[in-house]
Coordinates of all heavy atoms in Angstrom, one line a residue:
D69 N -1.3 -2.2 -10.6 CA -2.1 -2.2 -9.4 C -3.6 -2.3 -9.7 O -4.4 -2.8 -8.9 CB -1.8 -0.9 -8.6 CG -0.4 -1.0 -8.0 OD1 -0.1 -1.9 -7.2 OD2 0.4 -0.2 -8.4
D109 N -5.2 0.9 -4.6 CA -4.7 0.6 -5.9 C -5.1 1.6 -7.0 O -4.4 1.8 -8.0 CB -5.2 -0.8 -6.3 CG -4.3 -1.9 -5.7 OD1 -3.1 -1.7 -5.7 OD2 -4.8 -3.0 -5.4
A112 N -2.7 4.4 -6.5 CA -1.3 4.0 -7.0 C -1.2 4.2 -8.5 O -0.1 4.3 -9.0 CB -1.0 2.5 -6.6
R183 N 3.7 0.9 -13.0 CA 4.9 0.3 -12.3 C 6.1 0.4 -13.3 O 7.2 0.4 -12.8 CB 4.7 -1.1 -12.0 CG 3.7 -1.3 -10.8 CD 3.5 -2.8 -10.7 NE 2.5 -3.1 -9.7 CZ 1.8 -4.2 -9.5 NH1 2.1 -5.2 -10.3 NH2 1.0 -4.4 -8.5
T244 N 3.7 2.5 -7.5 CA 3.0 1.3 -7.1 C 2.7 1.5 -5.6 O 3.3 2.4 -4.9 CB 3.8 0.0 -7.3 OG1 2.9 -1.1 -7.2 CG2 5.0 -0.2 -6.4
D245 N 1.8 0.7 -5.0 CA 1.5 0.7 -3.6 C 2.2 -0.5 -2.9 O 2.3 -1.6 -3.5 CB 0.1 0.9 -3.2 CG -0.8 -0.2 -3.7 OD1 -0.4 -0.9 -4.6 OD2 -1.9 -0.3 -3.1
T247 N 2.0 -3.4 -0.6 CA 1.0 -4.3 0.1 C 1.6 -5.6 0.4 O 2.7 -5.7 1.0 CB -0.3 -4.3 -0.8 OG1 0.0 -4.7 -2.1 CG2 -1.0 -3.0 -0.8
H254 N 7.5 -5.4 -4.0 CA 6.9 -4.4 -5.0 C 7.9 -3.6 -5.7 O 7.8 -3.3 -6.9 CB 5.9 -3.5 -4.2 CG 4.7 -4.3 -3.8 ND1 3.6 -4.6 -4.6 CD2 4.4 -4.8 -2.6 CE1 2.7 -5.3 -3.9 NE2 3.1 -5.4 -2.7
Ligands
CO72 CO1 -1.3 -2.5 -5.5

Side-chain angles (χ1 to χ4, degrees):
D69 291 299
D109 277 325
R183 290 174 184 165
T244 192
D245 61 339
T247 52
H254 291 281

